[in-house]
């Protein structure tokens, strides 16, 4: 009975979340068209709504730990579900993402992604994709902010193993900026697939910076264990079994 109620509340939450996306977009679009920087007010307000409604409807509270970067940095983040995006965007002053090119065609999301200055990448051969990504970032670097990239390239279920791609290291090297690793446990409560949203405390934690200037190999050797170790700690804190599947 309790599980059935949680499923029902999860469906209600999901429906209102997407309805709210449309309503927030409708409200904010005129402001964004008049003043592009209003896009940050728009996404901040929507993401905070999702965090609040998740806590009220399904008992999923959320917390940001660590120092939130406000300067121009690269953020290498663990990605487990849509909710870790919501948490980061709710607090980062000027977030923009390295994202799949296909998302540009998504209703609402695509238009707002363009306004944020997100960098679309056409997934293809690895070498070609990396070159396109670096070129796109450098072309848009005049629009300052926090560039978010997922080193594993996609959402990864809680406890699952997936190798880190070298693209994050190449981007770190080319930009010459500090990198802030970010860990999370949101996949324990909000999985990649399915409707159930579980009660608990979802966390995104910004870890200590990796200073600019490391060789790519040294950077890659550092970022993966830092993010994975912190994410495993957060998942264990949430009651998720230790170790990977």
């Amino acid at each position: 009975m309790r599980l059935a109620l949680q499923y029902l509340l999860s469906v209600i939450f999901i429906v209102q979340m997407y309805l709210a996306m449309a309503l927030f977009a409708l409200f904010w679009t005129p402001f964004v068209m008049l003043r592009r920087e209003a896009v940050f007010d728009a996404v901040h307000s929507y993401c905070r709504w999702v965090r609040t409604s998740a806590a009220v409807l399904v008992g999923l509270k959320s917390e940001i730990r660590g120092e939130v970067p406000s300067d121009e940095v690269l953020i290498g983040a663990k990605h487990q579900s849509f909710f870790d995006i919501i948490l980061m965007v709710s607090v980062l002053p000027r977030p923009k993402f390295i994202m799949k090119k296909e998302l540009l065609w998504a209703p609402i999301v695509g238009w707002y992604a363009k306004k944020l200055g997100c960098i679309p990448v056409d997934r293809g051969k690895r070498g070609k994709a990396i070159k396109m990504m670096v070129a796109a970032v450098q072309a848009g670097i005049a629009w300052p902010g926090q560039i978010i990239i997922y080193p594993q390239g996609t959402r990864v279920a809680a406890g699952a193993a997936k190798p880190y791609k070298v693209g994050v290291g190449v981007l770190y090297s080319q930009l010459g900026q500090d990198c802030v690793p970010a860990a999370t446990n949101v996949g324990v409560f909000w999985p990649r697939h399915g409707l159930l949203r579980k009660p608990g405390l979802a966390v995104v934690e910004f870890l200590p910076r990796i200073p600019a200037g490391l060789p790519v190999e040294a950077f890659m050797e550092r970022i993966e264990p830092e993010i994975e170790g912190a994410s495993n700690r957060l998942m264990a804190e949430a009651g998720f079994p230790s170790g990977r599947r």
Side-chain angles (χ1 to χ4, degrees), residues 211-224:
L214 291 178
V216 172
E217 185 177 345
F219 171 79
M220 295 301 297
E221 289 176 353
R222 180 168 171 180
I223 190 170
E224 180 170 358

Side-chain angles (χ1 to χ4, degrees), residues 124-199:
K125 294 181 179 179
R126 189 178 72 172
K128 182 179 179 182
I130 291 173
K131 289 179 181 178
M132 290 176 64
M133 177 178 63
V134 171
V137 171
Q138 290 176 335
I141 203 66
W143 184 254
Q146 298 80 45
I147 300 175
I148 303 161
I149 184 171
Y150 299 118
Q152 291 170 296
T154 187
R155 292 173 298 170
V156 178
K162 187 175 179 63
Y164 280 48
K165 299 182 178 181
V166 74
V168 63
V170 174
L171 192 57
Y172 160 83
S173 176
Q174 294 291 324
L175 290 177
Q177 296 177 354
D178 292 353
C179 177
V180 177
T184 191
N185 68 356
V186 301
V188 174
F189 311 102
W190 184 319
R192 294 171 62 210
H193 305 295
L195 297 175
L196 184 62
R197 305 292 181 259
K198 302 174 184 178

